[in-house]
Amino acid sequence: ISTLEVDLTDYGGVRMTGITQATGMSMGVTLSQRGSILFGNLDGDQTAVIDQGRATFTGLRVVGLVGTDLVLSFREVLSGLFVQSRLFSSNPSALSLSWSASRVVAGGPVDD
């Protein structure tokens, strides 16, 4: 996921740049799957201060989980404003084997 920016906008879709760090507003993010919050499976900055109407989350990544129907939920702490991402999936980017696969074909051992 890496870096995500969440903007607070008015009804016209214009970012509310008057909301700065001085207002003390911040936003948190959680990861859930089919309605269950997945504590411990989201790594990175999970809280961000809102500055110039924008909260920036850095280093976000899903860890120790492969699956579908994942959702990121963002909640502004003071007001309770809440928004969710679209559904997404977490798929492995690599496969690590603890043994040599040089003699394996299509999931079965090769005869000598």
Side-chain angles (χ1 to χ4, degrees):
I1 299 172
S2 194
T3 300
L4 283 177
E5 293 178 331
V6 179
D7 290 347
L8 294 180
T9 61
D10 61 18
Y11 290 110
V14 177
R15 185 163 45 121
M16 301 173 73
T17 56
I19 300 175
T20 64
Q21 290 182 8
T23 63
M25 294 180 79
S26 64
M27 188 170 288
V29 60
T30 56
L31 175 69
S32 61
Q33 183 180 40
R34 297 181 197 101
S36 296
I37 295 176
L38 303 172
F39 297 102
N41 291 109
L42 186 62
D43 198 16
D45 294 335
Q46 296 173 37
T47 303
V49 173
I50 299 172
D51 191 27
Q52 302 295 312
R54 176 173 287 159
T56 302
F57 297 90
T58 58
L60 287 180
R61 64 189 185 116
V62 177
V63 294
L65 177 70
V66 173
T68 61
D69 301 327
L70 301 172
V71 173
L72 291 174
S73 301
F74 301 90
R75 182 180 302 272
E76 196 287 311
V77 177
L78 295 175
S79 67
L81 289 171
F82 178 81
V83 66
Q84 290 185 318
S85 71
R86 293 180 179 172
L87 292 173
F88 68 96
S89 299
S90 174
N91 298 309
S93 60
L95 179 62
S96 297
L97 302 175
S98 61
W99 45 272
S100 172
S102 63
R103 300 186 50 80
V104 175
V105 175
V110 176
D111 292 331
D112 287 329

